[in-house]
Amino acid sequence: MVLAAAILLTLLVATPGATALADGDRTGGPAIDGDRDFWAFRPVRSLPLPAVRRPELVAGAIDALIVARLAERGLEPAPPADRRELARRLHFDLTGLPPTPEELDDFLADPAPDAVDRLIDRLLASPQYGVRWGRHWLDVVRFAQTNGYERDDEKPFAWRYRDYVIDGFNEDRPYDRFVREQLAGDELDEYSRDAIIATGFYRLGVWDDEPDDGLTAEYDGLDDIARAIGTTFLGLTVGCARCHDHMFDPIPQTEYYGFLSFFHNLRPYDKPRYTLDSPTYAPLASPAELGAWRADRDRSIGELEARREAAGSDDEKKKLAAEIDRLRKSQPPFEWALAATERGSEASPVHVLLRGNARDRGAEVAPSFLTALGQHATDRSTDAGPFATRSSSGRRRVLAEWIASSENPLTPRVMANRVWQHLFGRGVVPTPNDFGRAGVPPTHPELLDHLAAELVRGGMSVKLLMRRILMSNAYRMASTPTGAARARAESVDPGNDLFSRQNIRRLEAEAIRDAVLAVGGALDLRLGGRGFFPRLSGEVVAGASRPGRGWGRSSAADRSRRSAYIFVKRTMRVPLMEAFDYVNTDQPLGARPVTTVAPQALMLLNSEFMQEQAARFAGRVLREAGVDREAQVDRAWKLALGREPSPRELRIALDSMQRHEAAVRSREPRLDFEPRAPSALENDYMNRLPPDGFLSCPEGWTVGRGRWVDRTEGISWVEPARGPHALWQGEPFADGVIETRLLLHRGIDRAGLIVRAQPRGTEHTGYQASFEPERGTVAIERHGDDLVELGRAPCVLRPGEWHRVVVECAGPRIAVRVDGEQILEVIDPEPITTPGRVGVRAWRAPVSLAGVRLETGGKAVAIRPAVVPAEIAPREALRALCLVIFNLNEFIHVD
């Protein structure tokens, strides 16, 4: 640790603009004047704009500051993006959704000089703006709807905080008010339903519902809050001073605990108890409404007590006493919210914890601000008396007022930097959560201060600041310079640190998923609510410590909602989202990583969601373009990419569709059975899982989930030999022959052909020819109250290859032939002779059947798929093209 710290300090000293604290600066006392001269702690100031040699490149102060820096390096800004690129960029940046072809056509046909301005205003006014920018904020505050750890149970009503954030951005709630509500909404002068919900900020972190040490866990929770407040609003790693003085920034350990004192009086997060004395939840009612409810309840109790005194019989007295007791325990009929509540008006003392140990207390400390911020910290009172209430100390209000003050040098800088980051792909400060010495200093300090000052001058309106950035030439630059300017930019500014051009940006996971839904015509734009549960594969469910616990089932319509409304469970992420760097919910995240890894392509090509959406996209194209293939390609390009295909693209697309259609027509019709459940499931989840959640099968077959045994703590384990299966709803079968070609897919554990089956609850009776390639055997089993193996024989079964299989039934005799060789024959001493269903069982990997033929009762019956390849070949070719379009870089990137 000592060596690592020394190396890190050396690296920081060698970094331009960053300086580590000398040992003598970490005294544990207040910050010294030299610390306050660090760029982030100086007051925000607007300097005179620099002169530029080419004023035609400048549309305002932002451009002047950028062009002047470029000129110092012999660079010029890239030319403007073309109107199509700019429109697509604006739509994705402001709403996270692609423009429709009609929106693009209208914009491109508008010759008015204010066309771009009006487009910006329309997008800023869209309800989808709040969804896009609210999701950015949720990253920063470590939003999730569950607690983490083994059980990872839900935080009820956490979704109200998400909706508060989205509504706040849509309403353009002043940023200083936005800060005050989240830090001290319950302590503000006037009651506000939104402000109570906003304090859910304090409850969003990871929480262990069964800690080994309760006191340590409580301080871990307080430390999580300190870190979240520090990084979210101040851009400082305050939490680094929990155990010792901060190694890089002028934050002594005493100031860390002085900072912690402002919210130390919070009641610890606890398991859900929706009561007036709950430590975690609050009713969404004003004091007047609560008072009126209490008065009505007390009046009713008084009347009942009077009636009890006058009652003539013991039975009547008991009934009245029970009613009185019920009323005293009753809760107000209001909605509840995840919220901050305190222990009372008197805050308990706070001590420095030696080396951060909750059981090793040092000196007592009083509430204090971070003195590195200069007079804004040292001259402000920390007296919470004027803000104290009967149930709250008022200290969080003091902290909120200090952080939200326009004089705080960090608050407007940090927020202005976040806005710039999401519009340019990188902040003026590249480390948006760390404005301290360990972070990367601003590439354009004057620009950052100008943006911060604009935020303050604009009444802390985020939309107004954003609009000013969007109106700049800098935002509207192309992502690629041309000619000699391109070569020089790539040589002098390869990382685009000087903003000589706009950045090509890959869309975030949510925008990719939402764009897929949008171009397919399936996107549901409803706002608000608890959120929805995407369908998860068995492999993902199996990865949870309690498979499926807390994961619900949503309708197809709900699953088409925007990705911001995905239920955020800490221990069970949606693979498609996670592949594209979905947010880490354990700690505040200022900027998501952007990786390029093989699983991304595999997800976009193979995931069930992408396959379904490609089919929807194809259906939309077919409805809107008809059967002409050139028209289909043209419409698909316009819907997904906002442009017509080039002649070369058209030729490639048509050729691909032709080849794919021919390949589909050549396929042999077959029946596919794919298991979807893991080997263990939490019982509540299992009972909510629909049949196709256990096994997917062709039309005309019904699924039974089979036998699952509850072994421990509400978790059931499958019996593979009696697991998920499908029964054909056609001709009953008694004696006769079943002949088919059988394909065991790689990774399969067992497959079964079922005969004479009678459904019995989630199971069935009857016989099964069981094929187990790993054991290299075939078995014949009788299914009833017990599973009876009637015989087993060796057999070479090669997964990935077709085998011809024949099952013969004649009274008690059952025989199996594989590839023309009789493998096994048994005589059942307790035969099942009644006619029943034919079925298939599959476990761990799919089973496919082709050319299925039954001979029974003197009749020959063929079991065919409901849809044969030749009938679906044209649509399948279009679906394959749509899937390819979803995988284009142009689709998942924005210029």
Side-chain angles (χ1 to χ4, degrees):
M1 283 294 291
V2 174
L3 179 59
I7 294 172
L8 185 54
L9 283 167
T10 302
L11 290 173
L12 284 166
V13 170
T15 302
T19 306
L21 283 175
D23 288 341
D25 293 341
R26 295 192 298 276
T27 60
I32 60 176
D33 291 341
D35 298 325
R36 293 170 186 156
D37 196 44
F38 184 65
W39 70 265
F41 305 146
R42 298 174 196 151
V44 172
R45 52 183 179 172
S46 293
L47 299 175
L49 296 178
V52 294
R53 292 194 299 271
R54 296 185 58 190
E56 71 274 11
L57 299 175
V58 174
I62 291 173
D63 295 323
L65 292 164
I66 287 180
V67 169
R69 281 293 304 279
L70 290 174
E72 292 173 4
R73 304 292 298 277
L75 297 174
E76 289 187 356
D82 69 43
R83 284 170 64 87
R84 187 195 73 85
E85 287 176 349
L86 180 59
R88 193 167 184 268
R89 182 188 300 168
L90 285 166
H91 274 82
F92 273 112
D93 279 352
L94 296 185
T95 68
L97 298 173
T100 66
E102 294 72 27
E103 287 173 327
L104 267 180
D105 289 344
D106 289 346
F107 174 70
L108 296 176
D110 188 348
D114 66 342
V116 177
D117 299 5
R118 286 186 283 108
L119 174 59
I120 290 170
D121 289 340
R122 178 172 67 81
L123 294 175
L124 286 173
S126 167
Q128 302 309 314
Y129 163 84
V131 179
R132 172 65 159 168
W133 283 81
R135 181 60 258 185
H136 291 327
W137 183 260
L138 296 177
D139 281 13
V140 180
V141 297
R142 82 272 191 238
F143 173 80
Q145 292 172 259
T146 59
N147 294 321
Y149 288 93
E150 181 185 2
R151 277 176 287 276
D152 197 22
D153 286 332
E154 184 174 1
K155 295 177 183 289
F157 312 122
W159 56 268
R160 292 196 196 279
Y161 176 84
R162 180 205 57 218
D163 289 355
Y164 158 82
V165 169
I166 290 173
D167 291 344
F169 276 97
N170 274 333
E171 296 166 7
D172 197 21
R173 187 165 296 161
Y175 183 64
D176 52 349
R177 177 182 159 199
F178 192 58
V179 172
R180 289 185 179 96
E181 287 178 341
Q182 292 177 72
L183 296 180
D186 57 317
E187 295 181 333
L188 299 181
D189 294 337
E190 294 183 3
Y191 167 80
S192 164
R193 182 180 187 273
D194 280 350
I196 300 300
I197 294 171
T199 64
F201 165 85
Y202 287 103
R203 306 301 195 186
L204 298 176
V206 174
W207 176 67
D208 186 354
D209 63 356
E210 203 172 62
D212 294 333
D213 185 326
L215 184 61
T216 297
E218 181 176 345
Y219 273 95
D220 286 346
L222 291 169
D223 182 67
D224 169 72
I225 292 170
R227 291 170 186 269
I229 293 174
T231 55
T232 299
F233 303 110
L234 301 173
L236 291 178
T237 56
V238 175
C240 293
R242 177 182 181 179
C243 303
H244 49 71
D245 295 347
H246 201 295
M247 289 184 65
F248 307 112
D249 296 330
I251 305 175
Q253 190 184 19
T254 52
E255 283 194 7
Y256 167 86
Y257 286 98
F259 188 75
L260 195 97
S261 298
F262 288 110
F263 45 87
H264 182 266
N265 202 44
L266 281 174
R267 300 169 74 181
Y269 184 82
D270 201 354
K271 294 179 182 179
R273 284 192 303 128
Y274 314 135
T275 65
L276 286 176
D277 62 347
S278 168
T280 310
Y281 299 90
L284 291 176
S286 68
E289 289 172 316
L290 280 171
W293 174 81
R294 283 193 178 99
D296 287 343
R297 182 191 62 178
D298 293 345
R299 184 165 45 254
S300 297
I301 289 174
E303 291 172 356
L304 288 171
E305 286 177 335
R307 286 173 56 191
R308 185 180 61 177
E309 290 295 322
S313 69
D314 289 343
D315 285 346
E316 187 176 0
K317 287 179 183 291
K318 288 180 181 179
K319 288 180 181 178
L320 289 169
E323 180 64 13
I324 290 168
D325 188 58
R326 185 191 68 78
L327 279 176
R328 283 177 174 156
K329 293 179 180 178
S330 65
Q331 295 301 315
F334 303 114
E335 294 179 303
W336 291 79
L338 186 70
T341 56
E342 292 202 4
R343 293 181 169 98
S345 60
E346 294 295 326
S348 56
V350 178
H351 298 261
V352 173
L353 303 183
L354 303 181
R355 301 195 65 78
N357 186 340
R359 301 193 177 279
D360 195 356
R361 293 185 175 184
E364 182 176 340
V365 294
S368 62
F369 302 124
L370 305 180
T371 56
L373 274 64
Q375 290 185 340
H376 178 63
T378 57
D379 293 353
R380 291 179 70 96
S381 172
T382 59
D383 180 19
F387 304 125
T389 67
R390 183 176 64 179
S391 59
S392 182
S393 67
R395 286 186 175 184
R396 285 178 292 114
R397 172 75 179 274
V398 174
L399 177 66
E401 296 293 343
W402 177 70
I403 290 177
S405 169
S406 61
E407 298 174 2
N408 191 312
L410 283 171
T411 305
R413 279 192 180 114
V414 169
M415 188 56 184
N417 189 65
R418 296 194 194 282
V419 172
W420 184 273
Q421 169 191 314
H422 291 300
L423 294 176
F424 283 83
R426 178 183 68 76
V428 180
V429 177
T431 50
N433 277 4
D434 191 354
F435 277 41
R437 285 182 168 87
V440 179
T443 55
H444 298 66
E446 296 82 5
L447 173 61
L448 180 62
D449 270 18
H450 170 77
L451 297 173
E454 285 290 286
L455 180 61
V456 173
R457 278 195 294 267
M460 289 290 189
S461 166
V462 173
K463 281 189 179 181
L464 183 57
L465 173 65
M466 198 175 297
R467 195 178 192 281
R468 287 173 176 162
I469 296 173
L470 297 173
M471 296 295 292
S472 70
N473 289 341
Y475 175 80
R476 301 182 187 189
M477 287 187 293
S479 59
T480 307
T482 57
R486 176 175 181 175
R488 178 149 183 82
E490 291 177 349
S491 172
V492 176
D493 187 24
N496 199 22
D497 293 333
L498 300 177
F499 299 112
S500 60
R501 56 197 179 275
Q502 184 56 274
N503 287 301
I504 297 176
R505 287 167 282 153
R506 196 202 68 205
L507 298 174
E508 303 99 319
E510 293 93 333
I512 293 173
R513 181 182 177 277
D514 292 352
V516 166
L517 288 165
V519 300
L523 184 62
D524 186 331
L525 296 176
R526 283 177 294 155
L527 304 181
R530 183 184 176 211
F532 68 93
F533 296 87
R535 195 158 51 199
L536 297 180
S537 68
E539 295 88 345
V540 177
V541 174
S545 59
R546 300 188 175 199
R549 181 183 175 97
W551 197 257
R553 178 174 176 239
S554 297
S555 67
D558 285 341
R559 294 199 304 271
S560 294
R561 297 185 66 193
R562 292 202 64 175
S563 305
Y565 293 101
I566 288 176
F567 185 89
V568 184
K569 187 174 177 66
R570 284 192 154 99
T571 60
M572 203 149 63
R573 312 271 182 85
V574 179
L576 176 66
M577 307 294 286
E578 196 161 20
F580 285 93
D581 309 306
Y582 187 60
V583 62
N584 175 358
T585 60
D586 292 343
Q587 54 190 315
L589 185 66
R592 293 190 188 181
V594 179
T595 63
T596 302
V597 292
Q600 292 167 348
L602 296 176
M603 284 291 177
L604 288 179
L605 284 170
N606 300 315
S607 74
E608 182 180 5
F609 172 80
M610 294 302 298
Q611 295 284 341
E612 289 176 352
Q613 298 312 314
R616 283 191 172 186
F617 186 15
R620 179 182 184 183
V621 170
L622 191 59
R623 289 192 304 272
E624 297 179 6
V627 296
D628 181 79
R629 280 191 171 168
E630 287 195 18
Q632 289 175 351
V633 174
D634 183 76
R635 188 58 179 164
W637 247 251
K638 287 179 178 176
L639 286 168
L641 306 177
R643 63 175 178 85
E644 295 178 351
S646 68
R648 179 173 178 269
E649 288 170 332
L650 177 61
R651 185 174 65 254
I652 292 173
L654 293 175
D655 179 63
S656 173
M657 292 174 72
Q658 182 178 0
R659 287 186 287 106
H660 194 87
E661 180 175 343
V664 173
R665 288 183 183 278
S666 68
R667 292 177 189 164
E668 181 179 10
R670 72 186 199 186
L671 303 164
D672 295 317
F673 303 83
E674 181 180 1
R676 290 183 165 178
S679 58
L681 288 171
E682 198 262 347
N683 288 340
D684 288 342
Y685 178 80
M686 180 175 66
N687 293 332
R688 291 194 305 269
L689 203 61
D692 67 356
F694 293 92
L695 181 73
S696 68
C697 61
E699 185 180 339
W701 297 68
T702 58
V703 172
R705 76 185 188 194
R707 177 173 292 189
W708 298 68
V709 179
D710 188 342
R711 294 182 182 173
T712 176
E713 294 186 347
I715 299 174
S716 289
W717 295 75
V718 73
E719 291 187 8
R722 309 186 78 171
H725 57 275
L727 300 180
W728 183 50
Q729 295 306 295
E731 196 76 21
F733 180 89
D735 286 351
V737 176
I738 300 175
E739 184 175 353
T740 184
R741 290 169 60 237
L742 174 71
L743 174 65
L744 307 175
H745 292 246
R746 299 186 188 282
I748 195 165
D749 179 75
R750 70 174 60 228
L753 291 179
I754 301 167
V755 295
R756 296 179 185 166
Q758 296 290 342
R760 190 167 71 175
T762 61
E763 302 180 58
H764 67 84
T765 60
Y767 293 103
Q768 174 173 295
S770 183
F771 303 89
E772 302 175 42
E774 288 191 4
R775 296 179 66 177
T777 61
V778 173
I780 297 176
E781 304 156 341
R782 185 201 320 126
H783 287 246
D785 292 335
D786 298 312
L787 179 66
V788 179
E789 185 176 297
L790 300 172
R792 180 178 294 272
C795 180
V796 176
L797 300 164
R798 295 177 294 274
E801 297 182 16
W802 288 94
H803 295 277
R804 184 165 295 280
V805 173
V806 177
V807 178
E808 299 178 356
C809 299
R813 175 180 171 273
I814 313 290
V816 177
R817 296 203 304 271
V818 177
D819 295 331
E821 178 184 353
Q822 180 155 313
I823 301 298
L824 182 62
E825 179 180 348
V826 299
I827 304 296
D828 186 1
E830 301 177 11
I832 299 172
T833 57
T834 55
R837 300 293 178 188
V838 170
V840 175
R841 174 170 275 109
W843 187 247
R844 297 230 183 259
V847 170
S848 298
L849 306 180
V852 185
R853 181 171 172 273
L854 310 183
E855 290 183 5
T856 182
K859 295 188 299 183
V861 180
I863 304 179
R864 296 189 177 92
V867 179
V868 297
E871 296 173 355
I872 64 171
R875 186 168 183 137
E876 274 294 291
L878 180 56
R879 184 199 63 80
L881 176 68
C882 290
L883 186 61
V884 169
I885 292 173
F886 285 153
N887 280 264
L888 294 177
N889 273 336
E890 186 177 351
F891 181 77
I892 65 172
H893 287 77
V894 62
D895 283 329

